[in-house]
Amino acid sequence: MQNILETLNEAQQEAVKTIDGPVLILAGAGSGKTKTITARLAYLISLGIDPANTLTLTFTNKAANEMRDRALSLIEGSSYPPLLCTFHKFGLLFLKFHMEKLGRKNSFVVIDTDDKKRIIKSFGIDLPIGLVASEISRYKSSLIDPQVAWDKAEQENYKKIANAYEKYEKYIADNNLVDFDDLLVLPYKILDENEDLCKETSERYKYIMVDEYQDTNDLQYQLLRKICSTHDNICVVGDDDQSIYGWRGANIKNILDFKDSFEGTKVVKLENNYRSTTNILTAANELIEHNRSRIGKILKSTKGDGAKIATIESIDEKNESTVIAKRIKALIDKGVSAKDIAVLYRINALSRSLEEGLNRFGVPYNMVGGVKFYERTEIKDLISYLRIIANPHDDFSIKRVINRPKRGLGKVTVDKILKGAYENQLSVYDYINQKGEDLQAMVSKKCYASLMEFVQNIQRLVEVSHEATYNIIDELENIFGIKKYFDQLPDSLERVSNIDEFYGLFRDMVKQNPEMSIDEFLNDLALQSDQDGVDSENISIMSIHASKGLEFDHLFVIGMEEGFLPLVGDGSDIEEERRLGYVAITRAREELTLSFSESRFYKGRRTELTKSRFLKESGVCKGSLVLEKTTSYKKGDLVKHKIFGIGRVFEISKVKREFKLKINFSGTKRDILASFIEKI
């Protein structure tokens, strides 16, 4: 263990060796966060702490897998690995053990966002399905049940959403389905309703670590409070300056107020940056200093000055994409690996002109967060078949593939079958199996024969799955001819290639884990994230949000204009926009190029633009908007004056280029300039 500690800097060592009580590790971009977390986990186990008493939570499979591999390489003689997974994987595992406490079976199936929207669409609601799905998610994450949602609804549209929410919850419960929100909501409900289990769970996980804590939402915070109910050994790692998911529920206050939530918190700042050059970090530091809602830190490079930040000024988006494509091609021609190059943008719509430019110059690219592999029609069909094999009573999946490949079953016939199953209180599978006479009277001889063949084939596949999971793919293809079906459709080459890729993935995963069931395979798939497929030999293009956690030697950021980065207008949060700019800049290792255009064709018309205020604030170039730096102090901060002692800030005002703080020193209120105050 001493050898491991010697590879850490002083701040990292302090973070690793502080094992009791609440700890906040404020880890700047590129500061060796993953190394610190994994070393801390190894250190805990080296002290004799049982790996089973530790729980490390993160947000993506990619991060969890990387941490697990690193931690295991450091741990010697451990009989079994510690639990290190995403929040949602933890929820999945927890539900597998305790779902019966909600009166449900643990053979549930996890559905994704696309499945969720299809279910909601089936209710015939006359509102945008995406809006309804989003609101249901918001209700669930806020622990608001359908009845409360109905009671709170003042407008007619929200009453419709509350009604759809009630139907949706009944549907997924009746079909034993679980959506992504449920993977957090249901464990919280179980712990909240079962005090003994809550205590038992907390006593089991005596040492908790949470990665990317700035991205946690209110529900994740509440879940953590339950798991920590018998102790306060919680170590959270995060960066308030990289909190960029407020739009999907992340609450930056979780990290800003951590010291207040957990009494006696020790704060350790990791400020040595091992990723980027000094010029890149100077721009990042100067930009983020304009934010008030932050704890405060300054990144210091360990790599030297490096190249100056470059800028590209273009007349329009076509000119911009041409210049960038040429520069990227020149880099690749010089021998730079394509996977070390990326282009980022704030708004996905900006990718269109960029893609055209890259295509013109023959630069292959990988779009992260485009049409995801597992959301393609042919892959969704395969997943549905596997779900049916795992659970023949999964009506949702049967409805999707009952006529794919074509079996001569029209919509009217399928609706009759669904209605008959509902009226007889049977699953579609049981209804076809048990109500042959009813079916014969309802559908044509040809349709009846197709239906009977369908359920018999499912029975055959269920039997095969019990014998050997590995063989199920070959048998599935032999029986249903899915590749043959898609080979006759448009884009057949790409579709069949995708099917082959999926089959290969399935076989590979079963080879690695021969005991894996179809159920486990499906649940692992449901937890895939956008970044899980980033590794490729092409350059990457993606939104800034999708780039979080990644890094590249040569980075281009386009759309550095007011209205694009930052987004401005109703609902926009300039501090979160600035954090997005900070995240974008700190993805660069060696060379950073910021691009802005005089005009863009956007939403059907050409718009004249001004360069982003962030270019000025980061010191990269002169901008049209001049904003002076703000104070790092905010209302409520605890501060220290060398004469008046400790006080609390209750008001902030500006005096020329300085900030004046109104501070309450134990009942005595004084006006003090910020430069004479030290934050505690």
Side-chain angles (χ1 to χ4, degrees), residues 270-282:
L270 306 185
E271 296 176 298
N272 285 350
N273 178 285
Y274 299 91
R275 176 190 299 162
S276 308
T277 61
T278 296
N279 282 323
I280 291 168
L281 293 184
T282 297

Side-chain angles (χ1 to χ4, degrees), residues 527-589:
L527 299 174
Q528 297 284 342
S529 78
D530 287 356
Q531 291 184 3
D532 290 342
V534 166
D535 295 331
S536 77
E537 292 307 314
N538 299 337
I539 76 157
S540 295
I541 68 173
M542 67 190 87
S543 70
I544 298 170
H545 283 101
S547 75
K548 179 78 165 36
L550 303 176
E551 55 188 72
F552 303 91
D553 285 346
H554 304 271
L555 186 75
F556 298 81
V557 184
I558 66 172
M560 295 291 296
E561 305 102 18
E562 290 293 305
F564 288 92
L565 183 60
L567 279 181
V568 290
D570 292 341
S572 65
D573 177 346
I574 191 61
E575 294 216 345
E576 181 151 321
E577 292 296 310
R578 194 172 282 114
R579 292 194 291 269
L580 270 167
Y582 176 83
V583 166
I585 290 171
T586 54
R587 298 312 94 200
R589 286 192 288 242

Side-chain angles (χ1 to χ4, degrees), residues 230-243:
T230 64
H231 61 81
D232 60 1
N233 295 328
I234 178 169
C235 171
V236 302
V237 188
D239 184 358
D240 53 327
D241 293 332
Q242 295 188 73
S243 179

Side-chain angles (χ1 to χ4, degrees), residues 135 160 181 279 339 353 407 439 453 513 594 622-623:
E135 284 300 299
K160 290 179 181 178
D181 297 312
N279 282 323
K339 67 181 180 181
S353 58
R407 298 185 179 88
L439 271 177
E453 184 183 11
N513 183 6
L594 304 178
K622 293 179 180 179

